[in-house]
């Protein structure tokens, strides 16, 4: 197994359903600026990556989840005074990881605060607050964990079943 994405992958395994680490086929990641245009960039990156992995039929669900995770990171986890220019250490990073029968989207952000899903009872028509409800609805499972070591913040992930055992 290569080390591509290993700093995010290692702690991710703790919260994921059992997956044979030797079955990781590939991963890709991109840094996202602390601006809302980053959501469009994340969707384009996801589209290109799924196309390369021959998973274009999953694009709609995966792109919706990626959009919500990136929007949440920008809205709730990036400090208002975060530098807006392209920096050495972008505050948000999108990771896509593929196993033989699983696809994981993970978004790293600088906050250690727990993501909070608002229940469907609360003004469901409100634009804000339903992102994690959508993530839960369109992915097979999701979760989050704080980063360890020198990396500050957390990773919020969503898992999709792919392949023959969907």
């Amino acid at each position: 197994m290569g080390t591509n994405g290993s700093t995010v992958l290692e702690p991710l395994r703790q919260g994921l359903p059992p997956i044979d680490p030797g079955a990781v086929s590939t991963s890709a990641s991109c840094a996202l600026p602390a601006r809302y245009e980053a959501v469009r960039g994340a969707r384009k990156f996801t589209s290109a990556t799924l196309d390369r992995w021959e998973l274009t039929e999953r694009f709609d669900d995966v792109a919706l989840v990626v959009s919500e995770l990136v929007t949440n990171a920008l809205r709730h986890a990036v400090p208002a005074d975060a530098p807006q220019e392209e920096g050495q250490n972008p505050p948000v990073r999108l990771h896509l990881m593929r196993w033989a029968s699983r696809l994981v989207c993970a978004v790293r952000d600088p906050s250690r605060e727990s993501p909070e899903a608002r229940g469907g009872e609360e003004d469901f028509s409100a634009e804000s607050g339903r992102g994690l409800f959508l993530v839960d609805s369109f992915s097979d499972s999701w979760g989050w964990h704080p980063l360890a070591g020198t990396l500050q913040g957390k990773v919020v992930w969503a898992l999709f079943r792919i392949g023959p055992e969907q």
Side-chain angles (χ1 to χ4, degrees):
M1 176 175 135
T3 57
N4 191 0
S6 62
T7 55
V8 169
L9 196 57
E10 198 55 47
L12 254 177
R13 281 202 202 107
Q14 299 166 14
L16 289 174
I19 298 173
D20 173 12
V24 173
S25 53
T26 190
S27 66
S29 71
C30 71
L32 299 168
R35 295 189 298 271
Y36 284 104
E37 308 91 83
V39 176
R40 190 174 341 124
R43 289 177 66 90
K44 286 177 73 172
F45 174 79
T46 300
S47 175
T49 302
L50 293 184
D51 189 45
R52 201 167 58 248
W53 292 347
E54 299 180 357
L55 292 173
T56 51
E57 74 281 358
R58 297 308 306 268
F59 174 74
D60 290 343
D61 290 350
V62 174
L64 184 139
V65 167
V66 163
S67 296
E68 294 299 335
L69 293 180
V70 170
T71 298
N72 281 351
L74 293 171
R75 182 176 290 150
H76 302 293
V78 175
D81 59 355
Q84 295 299 304
E85 69 278 352
E86 302 297 319
Q88 301 292 91
N89 193 11
V92 177
R93 189 163 192 95
L94 167 63
H95 296 265
L96 299 174
M97 294 161 278
R98 179 185 176 190
W99 285 261
S101 61
R102 303 281 190 275
L103 171 70
V104 171
C105 309
V107 175
R108 186 182 87 202
D109 69 53
S111 170
R112 293 179 83 82
E113 293 294 310
S114 164
E116 292 180 21
R118 293 201 185 145
E121 305 293 310
E122 295 181 34
D123 190 8
F124 185 73
S125 63
E127 189 63 32
S128 177
R130 64 178 188 204
L132 291 176
F133 176 80
L134 292 173
V135 169
D136 188 55
S137 299
F138 284 87
S139 65
D140 291 299
S141 63
W142 72 277
W144 75 281
H145 64 81
L147 291 170
T150 58
L151 291 173
Q152 291 298 306
K154 68 174 174 301
V155 170
V156 183
W157 57 264
L159 180 142
F160 296 86
R161 288 188 184 90
I162 57 173
E165 62 175 80
Q166 283 186 61

